Amino acid sequence: MGRGQTPRTRAGGFAAAQALPPGRPVTVRSADGTRLHAEVFGPDDGQPIVLAHGITCAIRVWAHQITDLSRDYRVIAYDHRGHGRSGVPRRGGYSLDHLAADLDSVLDATVDRGERAVVAGHSMGGIAITSWAERHPDRVPERAAAVALINTTTGDLLRNVQLLPVPPQLAAVRVRFAGTLLKTFSAAPVMRAVERPGRRLVSMMAVGRDADPAIGQFVYELFTSTPPAGRGGWARTLVDHLGPQHIGLKNLSVPTLVIGSEKDRLLPIKSARHIAREVPNLAQFVELAGGHCAILERPQEVNSQLRRLVESVSAARRATS
């Protein structure tokens, strides 16, 4: 087993998720009234860390991070609208504005006044953070001590996705095909007749070739347990709004950790390198082996980087107090 890889899991489930410590549930109401499910782990007086997961996932995708970090910190994880135990809004209830507003509501409900959280987002969770910073610039230094953007992007979603290699002259066709595929597949009910190809497609997009097969199985389980309305609503939003015009990063003034993966086919390392160049306060840029789900494929290395970020924030606070 390579350094930083997750251990092999036993049959019948994903061991890290099964061993997730119990959380303290918190119900959050977003600005439009949508109910969001959040959970708090670890000591009540610990440094708060807020975790935002990716599309078609849920709180337990952070199992490795929650189990490790909650030993020392107060870890807050939440389900995006249309995911997990959060509410499913109507068709018009999905946009980058909603993504930003939901994160802001979670911070308000779970992080005390005067506290500042380390906010980490994987994939769509990272898009939530950058959308929040773009739309709520005054809230960034008030509510965040630092942020971590993991396997995410700010734009050119379909241009960078690596589902099918094609000649340059067919790039526009590939972009249209990828957009149609992602929106159609995400919104479709899971049917037994197409379970095997569906599992292969999800695993191909989300997990590196050399990852434990149990990770691909777990990611597919998360996909199938996400309501089709939530999957489809967010797929349409991301495909339609993450084009050549990137989310602006000038308001992301706090220290920013950027993590990308060398074999990420969904949001390739090119996206992470772009973010690392553009953020105004880069704390660290890390390139990991593996595919899109670094939090599952390389948990020890991700956890180490998150701990380093939290400790740097704590050290800076101690130095100025």
mmCIF file with all atom_site columns, all heavy atoms in Angstrom, residues 7 10 16-17 28 37 57 86 107 113 129 146 175 210 217 253 264 270 272 277 289-290 296 306 316-317:
data_model
loop_
_atom_site.group_PDB
_atom_site.id
_atom_site.type_symbol
_atom_site.label_atom_id
_atom_site.label_alt_id
_atom_site.label_comp_id
_atom_site.label_asym_id
_atom_site.label_entity_id
_atom_site.label_seq_id
_atom_site.pdbx_PDB_ins_code
_atom_site.Cartn_x
_atom_site.Cartn_y
_atom_site.Cartn_z
_atom_site.occupancy
_atom_site.B_iso_or_equiv
_atom_site.pdbx_formal_charge
_atom_site.auth_seq_id
_atom_site.auth_comp_id
_atom_site.auth_asym_id
_atom_site.auth_atom_id
_atom_site.pdbx_PDB_model_num
ATOM 1   N N   . PRO A 1 7   ? -6.567  2.327  3.702   1.00 0.00 ? 7   PRO A N   1
ATOM 2   C CA  . PRO A 1 7   ? -6.414  0.881  3.833   1.00 0.00 ? 7   PRO A CA  1
ATOM 3   C C   . PRO A 1 7   ? -7.540  0.139  3.129   1.00 0.00 ? 7   PRO A C   1
ATOM 4   O O   . PRO A 1 7   ? -8.624  0.657  2.911   1.00 0.00 ? 7   PRO A O   1
ATOM 5   C CB  . PRO A 1 7   ? -6.489  0.667  5.351   1.00 0.00 ? 7   PRO A CB  1
ATOM 6   C CG  . PRO A 1 7   ? -7.251  1.837  5.862   1.00 0.00 ? 7   PRO A CG  1
ATOM 7   C CD  . PRO A 1 7   ? -6.851  2.975  4.983   1.00 0.00 ? 7   PRO A CD  1
ATOM 8   N N   . ARG A 1 10  ? -13.182 -3.974 4.387   1.00 0.00 ? 10  ARG A N   1
ATOM 9   C CA  . ARG A 1 10  ? -13.804 -5.283 4.468   1.00 0.00 ? 10  ARG A CA  1
ATOM 10  C C   . ARG A 1 10  ? -15.048 -5.326 3.589   1.00 0.00 ? 10  ARG A C   1
ATOM 11  O O   . ARG A 1 10  ? -15.620 -4.303 3.237   1.00 0.00 ? 10  ARG A O   1
ATOM 12  C CB  . ARG A 1 10  ? -14.174 -5.595 5.917   1.00 0.00 ? 10  ARG A CB  1
ATOM 13  C CG  . ARG A 1 10  ? -15.200 -4.641 6.521   1.00 0.00 ? 10  ARG A CG  1
ATOM 14  C CD  . ARG A 1 10  ? -15.474 -5.038 7.960   1.00 0.00 ? 10  ARG A CD  1
ATOM 15  N NE  . ARG A 1 10  ? -16.461 -4.161 8.576   1.00 0.00 ? 10  ARG A NE  1
ATOM 16  C CZ  . ARG A 1 10  ? -16.184 -3.023 9.161   1.00 0.00 ? 10  ARG A CZ  1
ATOM 17  N NH1 . ARG A 1 10  ? -14.937 -2.596 9.192   1.00 0.00 ? 10  ARG A NH1 1
ATOM 18  N NH2 . ARG A 1 10  ? -17.136 -2.288 9.726   1.00 0.00 ? 10  ARG A NH2 1
ATOM 19  N N   . ALA A 1 16  ? -14.327 3.077  6.697   1.00 0.00 ? 16  ALA A N   1
ATOM 20  C CA  . ALA A 1 16  ? -14.173 4.406  7.309   1.00 0.00 ? 16  ALA A CA  1
ATOM 21  C C   . ALA A 1 16  ? -15.526 5.041  7.599   1.00 0.00 ? 16  ALA A C   1
ATOM 22  O O   . ALA A 1 16  ? -15.722 5.668  8.645   1.00 0.00 ? 16  ALA A O   1
ATOM 23  C CB  . ALA A 1 16  ? -13.350 5.303  6.387   1.00 0.00 ? 16  ALA A CB  1
ATOM 24  N N   . ALA A 1 17  ? -16.484 4.890  6.692   1.00 0.00 ? 17  ALA A N   1
ATOM 25  C CA  . ALA A 1 17  ? -17.812 5.457  6.917   1.00 0.00 ? 17  ALA A CA  1
ATOM 26  C C   . ALA A 1 17  ? -18.552 4.710  8.012   1.00 0.00 ? 17  ALA A C   1
ATOM 27  O O   . ALA A 1 17  ? -19.293 5.308  8.803   1.00 0.00 ? 17  ALA A O   1
ATOM 28  C CB  . ALA A 1 17  ? -18.621 5.428  5.623   1.00 0.00 ? 17  ALA A CB  1
ATOM 29  N N   . VAL A 1 28  ? -30.255 23.679 9.951   1.00 0.00 ? 28  VAL A N   1
ATOM 30  C CA  . VAL A 1 28  ? -29.950 25.026 9.473   1.00 0.00 ? 28  VAL A CA  1
ATOM 31  C C   . VAL A 1 28  ? -31.014 25.417 8.449   1.00 0.00 ? 28  VAL A C   1
ATOM 32  O O   . VAL A 1 28  ? -31.417 24.590 7.619   1.00 0.00 ? 28  VAL A O   1
ATOM 33  C CB  . VAL A 1 28  ? -28.551 25.070 8.817   1.00 0.00 ? 28  VAL A CB  1
ATOM 34  C CG1 . VAL A 1 28  ? -28.240 26.464 8.280   1.00 0.00 ? 28  VAL A CG1 1
ATOM 35  C CG2 . VAL A 1 28  ? -27.486 24.605 9.804   1.00 0.00 ? 28  VAL A CG2 1
ATOM 36  N N   . HIS A 1 37  ? -29.093 19.943 6.628   1.00 0.00 ? 37  HIS A N   1
ATOM 37  C CA  . HIS A 1 37  ? -28.668 19.083 7.735   1.00 0.00 ? 37  HIS A CA  1
ATOM 38  C C   . HIS A 1 37  ? -27.165 19.240 7.951   1.00 0.00 ? 37  HIS A C   1
ATOM 39  O O   . HIS A 1 37  ? -26.372 19.079 7.026   1.00 0.00 ? 37  HIS A O   1
ATOM 40  C CB  . HIS A 1 37  ? -28.980 17.619 7.431   1.00 0.00 ? 37  HIS A CB  1
ATOM 41  C CG  . HIS A 1 37  ? -28.452 16.676 8.452   1.00 0.00 ? 37  HIS A CG  1
ATOM 42  N ND1 . HIS A 1 37  ? -29.030 16.520 9.704   1.00 0.00 ? 37  HIS A ND1 1
ATOM 43  C CD2 . HIS A 1 37  ? -27.380 15.837 8.433   1.00 0.00 ? 37  HIS A CD2 1
ATOM 44  C CE1 . HIS A 1 37  ? -28.353 15.627 10.394  1.00 0.00 ? 37  HIS A CE1 1
ATOM 45  N NE2 . HIS A 1 37  ? -27.339 15.192 9.646   1.00 0.00 ? 37  HIS A NE2 1
ATOM 46  N N   . CYS A 1 57  ? -22.563 13.516 -3.160  1.00 0.00 ? 57  CYS A N   1
ATOM 47  C CA  . CYS A 1 57  ? -21.969 12.930 -1.963  1.00 0.00 ? 57  CYS A CA  1
ATOM 48  C C   . CYS A 1 57  ? -22.803 13.317 -0.737  1.00 0.00 ? 57  CYS A C   1
ATOM 49  O O   . CYS A 1 57  ? -23.936 13.752 -0.857  1.00 0.00 ? 57  CYS A O   1
ATOM 50  C CB  . CYS A 1 57  ? -20.507 13.369 -1.820  1.00 0.00 ? 57  CYS A CB  1
ATOM 51  S SG  . CYS A 1 57  ? -19.410 12.631 -3.058  1.00 0.00 ? 57  CYS A SG  1
ATOM 52  N N   . SER A 1 86  ? -30.479 16.714 3.854   1.00 0.00 ? 86  SER A N   1
ATOM 53  C CA  . SER A 1 86  ? -30.974 18.078 3.634   1.00 0.00 ? 86  SER A CA  1
ATOM 54  C C   . SER A 1 86  ? -32.213 18.056 2.751   1.00 0.00 ? 86  SER A C   1
ATOM 55  O O   . SER A 1 86  ? -32.505 17.064 2.077   1.00 0.00 ? 86  SER A O   1
ATOM 56  C CB  . SER A 1 86  ? -29.887 18.957 2.999   1.00 0.00 ? 86  SER A CB  1
ATOM 57  O OG  . SER A 1 86  ? -28.879 19.258 3.937   1.00 0.00 ? 86  SER A OG  1
ATOM 58  N N   . LEU A 1 107 ? -22.415 28.600 8.335   1.00 0.00 ? 107 LEU A N   1
ATOM 59  C CA  . LEU A 1 107 ? -21.447 29.312 9.173   1.00 0.00 ? 107 LEU A CA  1
ATOM 60  C C   . LEU A 1 107 ? -22.165 30.096 10.272  1.00 0.00 ? 107 LEU A C   1
ATOM 61  O O   . LEU A 1 107 ? -21.729 30.101 11.432  1.00 0.00 ? 107 LEU A O   1
ATOM 62  C CB  . LEU A 1 107 ? -20.606 30.247 8.308   1.00 0.00 ? 107 LEU A CB  1
ATOM 63  C CG  . LEU A 1 107 ? -19.606 29.569 7.367   1.00 0.00 ? 107 LEU A CG  1
ATOM 64  C CD1 . LEU A 1 107 ? -19.037 30.568 6.369   1.00 0.00 ? 107 LEU A CD1 1
ATOM 65  C CD2 . LEU A 1 107 ? -18.473 28.920 8.154   1.00 0.00 ? 107 LEU A CD2 1
ATOM 66  N N   . ARG A 1 113 ? -20.192 33.855 17.047  1.00 0.00 ? 113 ARG A N   1
ATOM 67  C CA  . ARG A 1 113 ? -19.686 35.197 16.759  1.00 0.00 ? 113 ARG A CA  1
ATOM 68  C C   . ARG A 1 113 ? -18.327 35.370 17.431  1.00 0.00 ? 113 ARG A C   1
ATOM 69  O O   . ARG A 1 113 ? -18.126 34.973 18.585  1.00 0.00 ? 113 ARG A O   1
ATOM 70  C CB  . ARG A 1 113 ? -20.652 36.257 17.286  1.00 0.00 ? 113 ARG A CB  1
ATOM 71  C CG  . ARG A 1 113 ? -21.986 36.281 16.561  1.00 0.00 ? 113 ARG A CG  1
ATOM 72  C CD  . ARG A 1 113 ? -21.821 36.774 15.145  1.00 0.00 ? 113 ARG A CD  1
ATOM 73  N NE  . ARG A 1 113 ? -23.073 36.717 14.384  1.00 0.00 ? 113 ARG A NE  1
ATOM 74  C CZ  . ARG A 1 113 ? -23.178 37.007 13.106  1.00 0.00 ? 113 ARG A CZ  1
ATOM 75  N NH1 . ARG A 1 113 ? -22.099 37.361 12.417  1.00 0.00 ? 113 ARG A NH1 1
ATOM 76  N NH2 . ARG A 1 113 ? -24.340 36.928 12.483  1.00 0.00 ? 113 ARG A NH2 1
ATOM 77  N N   . ILE A 1 129 ? -17.370 27.521 -1.693  1.00 0.00 ? 129 ILE A N   1
ATOM 78  C CA  . ILE A 1 129 ? -16.509 28.471 -0.991  1.00 0.00 ? 129 ILE A CA  1
ATOM 79  C C   . ILE A 1 129 ? -16.167 29.655 -1.884  1.00 0.00 ? 129 ILE A C   1
ATOM 80  O O   . ILE A 1 129 ? -16.270 30.821 -1.465  1.00 0.00 ? 129 ILE A O   1
ATOM 81  C CB  . ILE A 1 129 ? -15.220 27.772 -0.501  1.00 0.00 ? 129 ILE A CB  1
ATOM 82  C CG1 . ILE A 1 129 ? -15.562 26.723 0.567   1.00 0.00 ? 129 ILE A CG1 1
ATOM 83  C CG2 . ILE A 1 129 ? -14.222 28.796 0.048   1.00 0.00 ? 129 ILE A CG2 1
ATOM 84  C CD1 . ILE A 1 129 ? -14.379 25.842 0.951   1.00 0.00 ? 129 ILE A CD1 1
ATOM 85  N N   . ALA A 1 146 ? -9.176  30.580 7.329   1.00 0.00 ? 146 ALA A N   1
ATOM 86  C CA  . ALA A 1 146 ? -8.441  30.044 6.180   1.00 0.00 ? 146 ALA A CA  1
ATOM 87  C C   . ALA A 1 146 ? -9.403  29.147 5.418   1.00 0.00 ? 146 ALA A C   1
ATOM 88  O O   . ALA A 1 146 ? -10.453 28.750 5.941   1.00 0.00 ? 146 ALA A O   1
ATOM 89  C CB  . ALA A 1 146 ? -7.212  29.254 6.631   1.00 0.00 ? 146 ALA A CB  1
ATOM 90  N N   . VAL A 1 175 ? -17.130 18.982 -25.676 1.00 0.00 ? 175 VAL A N   1
ATOM 91  C CA  . VAL A 1 175 ? -17.718 19.806 -24.629 1.00 0.00 ? 175 VAL A CA  1
ATOM 92  C C   . VAL A 1 175 ? -19.231 19.633 -24.593 1.00 0.00 ? 175 VAL A C   1
ATOM 93  O O   . VAL A 1 175 ? -19.835 19.452 -23.531 1.00 0.00 ? 175 VAL A O   1
ATOM 94  C CB  . VAL A 1 175 ? -17.340 21.291 -24.837 1.00 0.00 ? 175 VAL A CB  1
ATOM 95  C CG1 . VAL A 1 175 ? -18.199 22.195 -23.961 1.00 0.00 ? 175 VAL A CG1 1
ATOM 96  C CG2 . VAL A 1 175 ? -15.856 21.506 -24.498 1.00 0.00 ? 175 VAL A CG2 1
ATOM 97  N N   . ASP A 1 210 ? -5.856  3.280  -9.751  1.00 0.00 ? 210 ASP A N   1
ATOM 98  C CA  . ASP A 1 210 ? -5.182  2.403  -8.795  1.00 0.00 ? 210 ASP A CA  1
ATOM 99  C C   . ASP A 1 210 ? -5.800  2.454  -7.403  1.00 0.00 ? 210 ASP A C   1
ATOM 100 O O   . ASP A 1 210 ? -5.234  1.925  -6.445  1.00 0.00 ? 210 ASP A O   1
ATOM 101 C CB  . ASP A 1 210 ? -3.695  2.764  -8.716  1.00 0.00 ? 210 ASP A CB  1
ATOM 102 C CG  . ASP A 1 210 ? -3.451  4.202  -8.245  1.00 0.00 ? 210 ASP A CG  1
ATOM 103 O OD1 . ASP A 1 210 ? -4.432  4.992  -8.211  1.00 0.00 ? 210 ASP A OD1 1
ATOM 104 O OD2 . ASP A 1 210 ? -2.290  4.532  -7.922  1.00 0.00 ? 210 ASP A OD2 1
ATOM 105 N N   . GLN A 1 217 ? -16.966 1.740  -5.152  1.00 0.00 ? 217 GLN A N   1
ATOM 106 C CA  . GLN A 1 217 ? -18.260 1.228  -4.723  1.00 0.00 ? 217 GLN A CA  1
ATOM 107 C C   . GLN A 1 217 ? -18.941 2.217  -3.768  1.00 0.00 ? 217 GLN A C   1
ATOM 108 O O   . GLN A 1 217 ? -20.146 2.472  -3.872  1.00 0.00 ? 217 GLN A O   1
ATOM 109 C CB  . GLN A 1 217 ? -18.084 -0.127 -4.038  1.00 0.00 ? 217 GLN A CB  1
ATOM 110 C CG  . GLN A 1 217 ? -19.341 -0.680 -3.386  1.00 0.00 ? 217 GLN A CG  1
ATOM 111 C CD  . GLN A 1 217 ? -20.459 -0.939 -4.369  1.00 0.00 ? 217 GLN A CD  1
ATOM 112 O OE1 . GLN A 1 217 ? -20.205 -1.295 -5.522  1.00 0.00 ? 217 GLN A OE1 1
ATOM 113 N NE2 . GLN A 1 217 ? -21.696 -0.767 -3.924  1.00 0.00 ? 217 GLN A NE2 1
ATOM 114 N N   . SER A 1 253 ? -9.366  36.442 0.584   1.00 0.00 ? 253 SER A N   1
ATOM 115 C CA  . SER A 1 253 ? -8.196  37.109 1.144   1.00 0.00 ? 253 SER A CA  1
ATOM 116 C C   . SER A 1 253 ? -7.486  36.292 2.216   1.00 0.00 ? 253 SER A C   1
ATOM 117 O O   . SER A 1 253 ? -6.346  36.593 2.575   1.00 0.00 ? 253 SER A O   1
ATOM 118 C CB  . SER A 1 253 ? -8.611  38.458 1.738   1.00 0.00 ? 253 SER A CB  1
ATOM 119 O OG  . SER A 1 253 ? -9.667  38.287 2.678   1.00 0.00 ? 253 SER A OG  1
ATOM 120 N N   . ASP A 1 264 ? -6.789  13.262 -11.858 1.00 0.00 ? 264 ASP A N   1
ATOM 121 C CA  . ASP A 1 264 ? -8.189  13.678 -11.730 1.00 0.00 ? 264 ASP A CA  1
ATOM 122 C C   . ASP A 1 264 ? -8.767  13.884 -13.129 1.00 0.00 ? 264 ASP A C   1
ATOM 123 O O   . ASP A 1 264 ? -8.366  14.792 -13.843 1.00 0.00 ? 264 ASP A O   1
ATOM 124 C CB  . ASP A 1 264 ? -8.266  14.968 -10.914 1.00 0.00 ? 264 ASP A CB  1
ATOM 125 C CG  . ASP A 1 264 ? -9.686  15.360 -10.530 1.00 0.00 ? 264 ASP A CG  1
ATOM 126 O OD1 . ASP A 1 264 ? -10.629 14.914 -11.215 1.00 0.00 ? 264 ASP A OD1 1
ATOM 127 O OD2 . ASP A 1 264 ? -9.848  16.119 -9.564  1.00 0.00 ? 264 ASP A OD2 1
ATOM 128 N N   . LYS A 1 270 ? -5.043  20.803 -13.995 1.00 0.00 ? 270 LYS A N   1
ATOM 129 C CA  . LYS A 1 270 ? -4.994  22.128 -14.616 1.00 0.00 ? 270 LYS A CA  1
ATOM 130 C C   . LYS A 1 270 ? -5.891  23.106 -13.875 1.00 0.00 ? 270 LYS A C   1
ATOM 131 O O   . LYS A 1 270 ? -5.546  24.288 -13.719 1.00 0.00 ? 270 LYS A O   1
ATOM 132 C CB  . LYS A 1 270 ? -5.417  22.017 -16.078 1.00 0.00 ? 270 LYS A CB  1
ATOM 133 C CG  . LYS A 1 270 ? -5.414  23.329 -16.851 1.00 0.00 ? 270 LYS A CG  1
ATOM 134 C CD  . LYS A 1 270 ? -5.814  23.108 -18.303 1.00 0.00 ? 270 LYS A CD  1
ATOM 135 C CE  . LYS A 1 270 ? -5.820  24.415 -19.078 1.00 0.00 ? 270 LYS A CE  1
ATOM 136 N NZ  . LYS A 1 270 ? -6.197  24.194 -20.500 1.00 0.00 ? 270 LYS A NZ  1
ATOM 137 N N   . ALA A 1 272 ? -6.727  23.020 -10.640 1.00 0.00 ? 272 ALA A N   1
ATOM 138 C CA  . ALA A 1 272 ? -6.094  23.354 -9.361  1.00 0.00 ? 272 ALA A CA  1
ATOM 139 C C   . ALA A 1 272 ? -4.938  24.328 -9.567  1.00 0.00 ? 272 ALA A C   1
ATOM 140 O O   . ALA A 1 272 ? -4.745  25.258 -8.772  1.00 0.00 ? 272 ALA A O   1
ATOM 141 C CB  . ALA A 1 272 ? -5.611  22.082 -8.672  1.00 0.00 ? 272 ALA A CB  1
ATOM 142 N N   . ARG A 1 277 ? -2.640  29.859 -8.948  1.00 0.00 ? 277 ARG A N   1
ATOM 143 C CA  . ARG A 1 277 ? -2.077  31.089 -9.523  1.00 0.00 ? 277 ARG A CA  1
ATOM 144 C C   . ARG A 1 277 ? -2.917  32.314 -9.175  1.00 0.00 ? 277 ARG A C   1
ATOM 145 O O   . ARG A 1 277 ? -2.375  33.418 -9.044  1.00 0.00 ? 277 ARG A O   1
ATOM 146 C CB  . ARG A 1 277 ? -1.977  30.965 -11.046 1.00 0.00 ? 277 ARG A CB  1
ATOM 147 C CG  . ARG A 1 277 ? -0.916  30.034 -11.554 1.00 0.00 ? 277 ARG A CG  1
ATOM 148 C CD  . ARG A 1 277 ? -0.676  30.242 -13.050 1.00 0.00 ? 277 ARG A CD  1
ATOM 149 N NE  . ARG A 1 277 ? -1.902  30.080 -13.829 1.00 0.00 ? 277 ARG A NE  1
ATOM 150 C CZ  . ARG A 1 277 ? -2.290  28.923 -14.376 1.00 0.00 ? 277 ARG A CZ  1
ATOM 151 N NH1 . ARG A 1 277 ? -1.555  27.838 -14.206 1.00 0.00 ? 277 ARG A NH1 1
ATOM 152 N NH2 . ARG A 1 277 ? -3.406  28.866 -15.084 1.00 0.00 ? 277 ARG A NH2 1
ATOM 153 N N   . ALA A 1 289 ? -1.032  12.183 -5.878  1.00 0.00 ? 289 ALA A N   1
ATOM 154 C CA  . ALA A 1 289 ? -1.315  11.100 -6.808  1.00 0.00 ? 289 ALA A CA  1
ATOM 155 C C   . ALA A 1 289 ? -2.794  10.744 -6.702  1.00 0.00 ? 289 ALA A C   1
ATOM 156 O O   . ALA A 1 289 ? -3.476  11.116 -5.757  1.00 0.00 ? 289 ALA A O   1
ATOM 157 C CB  . ALA A 1 289 ? -0.443  9.896  -6.475  1.00 0.00 ? 289 ALA A CB  1
ATOM 158 N N   . GLY A 1 290 ? -3.298  10.016 -7.700  1.00 0.00 ? 290 GLY A N   1
ATOM 159 C CA  . GLY A 1 290 ? -4.665  9.526  -7.617  1.00 0.00 ? 290 GLY A CA  1
ATOM 160 C C   . GLY A 1 290 ? -5.648  10.358 -8.406  1.00 0.00 ? 290 GLY A C   1
ATOM 161 O O   . GLY A 1 290 ? -5.282  11.241 -9.174  1.00 0.00 ? 290 GLY A O   1
ATOM 162 N N   . LEU A 1 296 ? -10.741 10.569 -0.145  1.00 0.00 ? 296 LEU A N   1
ATOM 163 C CA  . LEU A 1 296 ? -10.909 9.130  0.071   1.00 0.00 ? 296 LEU A CA  1
ATOM 164 C C   . LEU A 1 296 ? -9.677  8.342  -0.366  1.00 0.00 ? 296 LEU A C   1
ATOM 165 O O   . LEU A 1 296 ? -9.326  7.339  0.253   1.00 0.00 ? 296 LEU A O   1
ATOM 166 C CB  . LEU A 1 296 ? -12.126 8.623  -0.719  1.00 0.00 ? 296 LEU A CB  1
ATOM 167 C CG  . LEU A 1 296 ? -13.491 9.122  -0.272  1.00 0.00 ? 296 LEU A CG  1
ATOM 168 C CD1 . LEU A 1 296 ? -14.557 8.703  -1.279  1.00 0.00 ? 296 LEU A CD1 1
ATOM 169 C CD2 . LEU A 1 296 ? -13.843 8.597  1.117   1.00 0.00 ? 296 LEU A CD2 1
ATOM 170 N N   . LEU A 1 306 ? -4.494  19.572 6.006   1.00 0.00 ? 306 LEU A N   1
ATOM 171 C CA  . LEU A 1 306 ? -5.521  20.319 6.738   1.00 0.00 ? 306 LEU A CA  1
ATOM 172 C C   . LEU A 1 306 ? -5.047  20.647 8.152   1.00 0.00 ? 306 LEU A C   1
ATOM 173 O O   . LEU A 1 306 ? -5.260  21.763 8.650   1.00 0.00 ? 306 LEU A O   1
ATOM 174 C CB  . LEU A 1 306 ? -6.826  19.521 6.781   1.00 0.00 ? 306 LEU A CB  1
ATOM 175 C CG  . LEU A 1 306 ? -7.570  19.391 5.449   1.00 0.00 ? 306 LEU A CG  1
ATOM 176 C CD1 . LEU A 1 306 ? -8.767  18.458 5.592   1.00 0.00 ? 306 LEU A CD1 1
ATOM 177 C CD2 . LEU A 1 306 ? -8.026  20.763 4.946   1.00 0.00 ? 306 LEU A CD2 1
ATOM 178 N N   . ALA A 1 316 ? -0.753  31.842 14.237  1.00 0.00 ? 316 ALA A N   1
ATOM 179 C CA  . ALA A 1 316 ? -0.865  33.272 13.923  1.00 0.00 ? 316 ALA A CA  1
ATOM 180 C C   . ALA A 1 316 ? -1.741  33.973 14.944  1.00 0.00 ? 316 ALA A C   1
ATOM 181 O O   . ALA A 1 316 ? -1.456  35.103 15.348  1.00 0.00 ? 316 ALA A O   1
ATOM 182 C CB  . ALA A 1 316 ? -1.433  33.430 12.513  1.00 0.00 ? 316 ALA A CB  1
ATOM 183 N N   . ARG A 1 317 ? -2.826  33.292 15.370  1.00 0.00 ? 317 ARG A N   1
ATOM 184 C CA  . ARG A 1 317 ? -3.715  33.897 16.368  1.00 0.00 ? 317 ARG A CA  1
ATOM 185 C C   . ARG A 1 317 ? -3.012  34.067 17.705  1.00 0.00 ? 317 ARG A C   1
ATOM 186 O O   . ARG A 1 317 ? -3.146  35.080 18.375  1.00 0.00 ? 317 ARG A O   1
ATOM 187 C CB  . ARG A 1 317 ? -4.974  33.039 16.521  1.00 0.00 ? 317 ARG A CB  1
ATOM 188 C CG  . ARG A 1 317 ? -6.025  33.690 17.415  1.00 0.00 ? 317 ARG A CG  1
ATOM 189 C CD  . ARG A 1 317 ? -7.322  32.906 17.446  1.00 0.00 ? 317 ARG A CD  1
ATOM 190 N NE  . ARG A 1 317 ? -7.149  31.562 17.967  1.00 0.00 ? 317 ARG A NE  1
ATOM 191 C CZ  . ARG A 1 317 ? -7.304  30.443 17.267  1.00 0.00 ? 317 ARG A CZ  1
ATOM 192 N NH1 . ARG A 1 317 ? -7.626  30.510 15.998  1.00 0.00 ? 317 ARG A NH1 1
ATOM 193 N NH2 . ARG A 1 317 ? -7.105  29.268 17.817  1.00 0.00 ? 317 ARG A NH2 1
#
